[in-house]
Amino acid sequence: MTTKLTITTAPIAGQKPGTSGLRKKTPVFMGPHYLENFVQAIFDVVGTRNPDGSGKTFVLGGDGRYFNDRAAQVILRMAAANGAARVIIGQNAILSTPAASHLIRLYQTDGGIIMSASHNPGGPKEDFGVKFNMSNGGPAPEAATEAMYKRTTEISEYHIVESQDVDLSKIGRTALAGMIVDVVDPVSDYAALMETLFDFPAIRTMFAGGFRMRMDSMCAVTGPYAVEILENRLGAAKGTVINATPLSDFGGMHPDPNPTWAKALMDEMFGAAAPDFGAASDGDGDRNMVVGAAAYVSPSDSLAVLAANAHLAPGYKAGLKGVARSMPTSAAADRVATALGIASYETPTGWKFFGNLLDAGRATICGEESFGTGSDHVREKDGLWAVLLWLNILAVRKQSVAAILAEHWAKFGRNYYSRHDFEAIASDKADAMMAALRGSLASLPGHQLEGLTIQAADDFAYTDPVDGSVSKAQGVRIMFEDGSRIVLRLSGTGTEGATLRLYLERYAAGPDGLDHDPQQALAPVIRAAHALARIEAFTGRVTPDVIT
Ligand code: G16
């Protein structure tokens, strides 16, 4: 027996989605009506019924973090009570973000709800998140997330059915208050898609020839995907994938694939017995870090190398339509696009801004400096996709990662790049610093410091070339005459205070450029950034918490 209930509620403060959906501490999400209010706001904005009155179909899944299973049951009950016809859900409510995006597209659903706080830690005291993806498989655009936020400020009731839990452990069809619930294998459709894009026989031959790899799934959602694809289908040695069992607290790990948080992988890759290739992915499987034996690949360089070599994979053999990168990502990919004679795009931070370019066929490959790369195969960044494209390139070129990087820099020049994060700053201090910096922009051009001359300074604004929508105040850019660049913006995904992101870039042409450590190559740019933004004066911080 199920009963449909309408619960009286009241707006709850702080339900403003950020760069990537709504992220809060788990206890906040577990508080009275909090999850329910946000989910009802989503349903109110996107609608659960078609114009003809029939119910809509949604995909549902998450990265398995603490509260994932409970939240899934709530969302199912609310979908049923709101009149949805069908929900396709990963077994045990598990779906990686790219796999969810694929299922939305594959089954031509009306969108999907993804439960994840991505690379943020999980657990009873850590982070949880919910985001809505549209029928194209991509994150809801700003207009939709703004509408959802507005709805949370005026909400007065939500709908839910009273029922037993749906058994999500068994694959197959069941029903909840008249709504179909299809529990699907989270991996198989995604793995099949990967087989259409990449030369699996060539990669298999490479592994059979003794190629060694280490994949660190960081106790997060990609474990089952990576084991199935890398070990079972491509023949990588058993045990190639480590931390392969998703855990609700990610085993205490911080599943953010960068040299700081994937330190064990970095140590192995720079050690005496380093495998040929290493990779890590994040909580929900959309991010990736790749590293060769003693050769770290920065995400900006990875995007450029993938763009330059994508034609070696069957799915991209016709070439790329264009390359898109987020504004703070280095210009390395632009140089490849110029050489290939294809368009390049610079978008605000956040994957949602790539959606229109991908849908319109203007870009094929996209990337962000924050360890995100992807293509038009889904509408999310895709960690394992990037790993497989790298493997495909390595299998065809039969060179080491270090050799491929060296050749790339010799041909295109090198964009030295680093991001410095200052975390958990008091929000008022961070806001005051950004306001002062924004106020000084007009006076900066022509100013000299650290031997560098400022050419231009602005607050990045983006006009979407497809729908004409405008996004303002997306980050302060300070460009120097020698091609160096400083970018500052506040994170939209943090859950504690403000995180200041400082992005630093310096270009060196050809093999005669600055041949040393990025932090050293960038030293004058780093000093200039601190002087211009007066980071210490406003925040008391000198040393970043995370350097990538
Ligand atoms: C950060 C990154 C962005 C990324 C976003 C969402 O945003 O800087 O590049 O798009 O996370 O990534 P994910 O879906 O993996 O969480 P922010 O606003 O914190 O800088």
Side-chain angles (χ1 to χ4, degrees):
M1 264 299 289
T2 53
T3 316
K4 288 191 187 182
L5 303 174
T6 295
I7 311 278
T8 303
T9 185
I12 295 171
Q15 294 202 330
K16 192 167 179 61
T19 315
S20 199
L22 183 64
R23 287 191 192 160
K24 293 285 169 196
K25 289 286 165 205
T26 311
V28 174
F29 258 106
M30 294 174 75
H33 308 311
Y34 194 92
L35 171 70
E36 291 86 344
N37 274 11
F38 188 63
V39 172
Q40 187 63 51
I42 292 174
F43 286 146
D44 287 349
V45 168
V46 302
T48 47
R49 289 187 191 278
N50 296 305
D52 67 2
S54 61
K56 290 188 175 180
T57 297
F58 298 104
V59 165
L60 176 62
D63 62 16
R65 70 181 61 221
Y66 188 82
F67 191 48
N68 187 85
D69 49 351
R70 299 310 313 148
Q73 297 289 347
V74 169
I75 296 169
L76 283 174
R77 287 187 182 111
M78 291 184 66
N82 277 278
R86 180 181 173 214
V87 171
I88 299 167
I89 183 168
Q91 188 179 21
N92 296 318
I94 298 287
L95 284 176
S96 76
T97 289
S101 181
H102 177 50
L103 289 183
I104 291 170
R105 297 166 65 76
L106 181 68
Y107 295 106
Q108 299 183 342
T109 69
D110 299 291
I113 292 179
I114 300 175
M115 301 169 291
S116 171
S118 191
H119 53 287
N120 296 11
K125 296 194 175 132
E126 300 295 350
D127 293 352
F128 192 77
V130 171
K131 73 171 181 169
F132 187 80
N133 280 31
M134 311 296 276
S135 59
N136 72 344
E142 268 190 335
T145 57
E146 281 300 320
M148 289 166 193
Y149 172 58
K150 183 164 175 288
R151 188 72 195 126
T152 65
T153 65
E154 58 197 27
I155 196 161
S156 59
E157 58 181 36
Y158 63 84
H159 311 289
I160 190 162
V161 297
E162 204 177 40
S163 71
Q164 296 296 317
D165 282 359
V166 179
D167 182 358
L168 300 176
S169 68
K170 289 195 199 71
I171 288 170
R173 177 164 286 192
T174 137
L176 173 66
M179 180 182 81
I180 295 169
V181 179
D182 280 322
V183 181
V184 300
D185 176 67
V187 177
S188 56
D189 285 321
Y190 175 84
L193 174 66
M194 293 300 117
E195 294 219 29
T196 67
L197 299 175
F198 302 115
D199 190 344
F200 271 44
I203 302 172
R204 216 176 283 129
T205 303
M206 180 171 73
F207 276 120
F211 182 90
R212 290 191 308 127
M213 175 177 177
R214 171 71 65 225
M215 168 85 204
D216 190 345
S217 283
M218 305 187 86
C219 300
V221 80
T222 56
Y225 295 84
V227 168
E228 172 61 20
I229 295 172
L230 298 174
E231 296 185 10
N232 298 349
R233 299 197 186 195
L234 290 170
K238 294 286 172 216
T240 292
V241 185
I242 55 168
N243 297 316
T245 305
L247 301 173
S248 68
D249 64 351
F250 304 129
M253 294 181 89
H254 186 153
D256 192 357
N258 63 45
T260 301
W261 296 115
K263 187 172 181 304
L265 176 70
M266 289 297 284
D267 289 347
E268 184 176 2
M269 295 308 298
F270 280 80
D276 301 290
F277 187 58
S281 54
D282 71 330
D284 62 334
D286 57 2
R287 295 185 175 203
N288 75 91
M289 177 178 85
V290 293
V291 51
Y296 168 67
V297 187
S298 83
S300 294
D301 281 339
S302 180
L303 173 65
V305 170
L306 294 181
N309 293 278
H311 61 280
L312 301 176
Y316 306 93
K317 65 173 185 295
L320 308 179
K321 291 166 187 151
V323 180
R325 64 168 173 85
S326 67
M327 180 274 282
T329 303
S330 94
D334 302 7
R335 297 175 192 283
V336 174
T338 303
L340 292 173
I342 57 175
S344 59
Y345 299 90
E346 185 176 31
T347 62
T349 296
W351 204 261
K352 59 191 170 198
F353 292 100
F354 294 133
N356 280 347
L357 297 170
L358 296 168
D359 284 348
R362 294 203 188 194
T364 307
I365 285 191
C366 308
E368 296 193 277
E369 51 62 43
S370 52
F371 298 83
T373 19
S375 86
D376 58 2
H377 68 292
V378 291
R379 292 295 180 273
E380 285 279 2
K381 53 188 179 272
D382 188 344
L384 270 173
W385 170 90
V387 170
L388 289 166
L389 181 49
W390 264 99
L391 285 171
N392 197 143
I393 292 165
L394 292 166
V396 174
R397 288 186 54 166
K398 300 182 169 53
Q399 289 172 292
S400 68
V401 172
I404 288 174
L405 274 181
E407 278 188 21
H408 188 92
W409 291 330
K411 183 169 175 188
F412 297 100
R414 180 169 178 182
N415 289 72
Y416 284 91
Y417 186 84
S418 185
R419 182 176 107 182
H420 292 190
D421 288 344
F422 302 81
E423 296 175 344
I425 300 172
S427 293
D428 55 342
K429 292 182 179 171
D431 290 341
M433 191 204 84
M434 290 302 291
L437 185 60
R438 286 188 159 105
S440 73
L441 292 178
S443 67
L444 291 183
H447 196 78
Q448 286 193 350
L449 73 173
E450 298 292 337
L452 303 163
T453 306
I454 298 176
Q455 188 175 51
D458 68 2
D459 193 354
F460 182 60
Y462 178 68
T463 303
D464 187 299
V466 180
D467 67 15
S469 60
V470 177
S471 303
K472 292 187 176 155
Q474 296 295 319
V476 167
R477 302 191 290 183
I478 299 162
M479 277 82 74
F480 295 89
E481 282 178 355
D482 71 343
S484 298
R485 189 180 70 149
I486 295 167
V487 172
L488 292 105
R489 58 179 284 280
L490 300 183
S491 159
T493 60
T495 55
E496 253 183 304
T499 295
L500 168 66
R501 303 209 195 282
L502 169 62
Y503 309 83
L504 306 139
E505 181 171 358
R506 185 173 186 190
Y507 179 67
D512 299 328
L514 309 162
D515 185 17
H516 37 70
D517 172 70
Q519 300 307 321
Q520 285 178 32
L522 290 164
V525 187
I526 296 169
R527 288 194 296 270
H530 280 265
L532 285 166
R534 291 183 286 152
I535 296 173
E536 186 177 6
F538 277 100
T539 70
R541 303 292 182 84
V542 182
T543 315
D545 298 290
V546 178
I547 295 180
T548 51

